[in-house]
Amino acid sequence: MGRDDETLVVLKPPNATIDVVEVADRHHWRPRQRILPAERRLYEEIYEVPSSGTIVRIIDDGFAGAIFVALQGPGRSEVETIIRQEVETLDEKAIAALLRSNKPKDRATGLRILGAIAPDVADAETVKVFSAAAKDSAPEVVAALMDAVSRAAWPELWPVIEELAKAGTPEAKVLYESALVHVPRPH
């Protein structure tokens, strides 16, 4: 997930931004910037690792209910190891387990996480996951899928958007109308 020049680390709930800030303090990473939330902007705390120049962006995505760390720079694998050793995180297997869970709340959490960390370009595996989730009967899973699809906004998701629109709910109608404006149609 994410961009080729970036590593994403998702925190396991209920871990919070402060847990990574404490790691940064213990390892003497330099605070660079704090970005307060605003419309279409997430809360972030940005640090730099002096020894490698790695940038550590702690991002609290309240919309998705996920906190993740975006790492950029030459030392990102070492920084990822430090964070995973000192804070509970979710790797790809743990996110996949959430998506397969018997509990709708877990499946919804997994979908929101995927939406939050979706790269700018469609990921075939994520499209498959979203397509399968469109058939889920649990309302909270469908709501989470709508959130995730609107975040990813890939043309490849139009079949999922159309499947969700068939539900005919007010939320599905809003998603469809929003998609008409924000999600390009596939060529």
Side-chain angles (χ1 to χ4, degrees):
M1 284 284 140
R3 304 177 342 206
D4 289 340
D5 65 341
E6 182 176 68
T7 301
L8 298 177
V9 179
V10 179
L11 301 190
K12 181 178 181 180
N15 286 287
T17 304
I18 188 67
D19 296 307
V20 183
V21 168
E22 290 172 352
V23 172
D25 289 345
R26 278 194 297 277
H27 291 273
H28 308 289
W29 300 342
R30 286 190 203 121
R32 286 295 186 207
Q33 187 175 7
R34 177 177 290 153
I35 301 171
L36 297 176
E39 188 171 334
R40 303 185 63 82
R41 188 175 68 209
L42 304 174
Y43 177 81
E44 287 190 47
E45 293 204 33
I46 303 172
Y47 289 81
E48 180 182 358
V49 179
S51 61
S52 66
T54 301
I55 300 299
V56 178
R57 295 173 49 225
I58 309 163
I59 303 165
D60 185 342
D61 188 336
F63 178 77
I67 298 171
F68 56 97
V69 182
L71 305 170
Q72 295 175 316
R76 67 184 195 219
S77 64
E78 292 84 8
V79 174
E80 176 185 10
T81 299
I82 290 168
I83 292 169
R84 289 193 187 278
Q85 288 173 343
E86 297 189 29
V87 181
E88 286 186 281
T89 62
L90 298 173
D91 60 14
E92 288 183 19
K93 288 181 184 178
I95 295 168
L98 286 171
L99 294 165
R100 290 189 311 271
S101 174
N102 294 337
K103 299 175 185 171
K105 181 179 180 182
D106 290 346
R107 294 193 307 276
T109 297
L111 289 168
R112 284 195 174 95
I113 288 170
L114 284 183
I117 64 173
D120 294 336
V121 179
D123 171 83
E125 190 60 36
T126 303
V127 171
K128 279 190 220 175
V129 169
F130 288 173
S131 295
K135 295 165 183 59
D136 199 304
S137 61
E140 73 183 288
V141 174
V142 174
L145 177 60
M146 288 182 182
D147 291 344
V149 165
S150 68
R151 296 291 291 277
W154 304 320
E156 294 82 354
L157 290 174
W158 268 102
V160 176
I161 293 165
E162 290 168 347
E163 180 72 25
L164 290 169
K166 289 178 190 175
T169 64
E171 297 84 3
K173 184 177 179 184
V174 168
L175 172 69
Y176 188 78
E177 290 172 358
S178 175
L180 287 172
V181 175
H182 300 290
V183 181
R185 289 277 187 174
H187 301 309

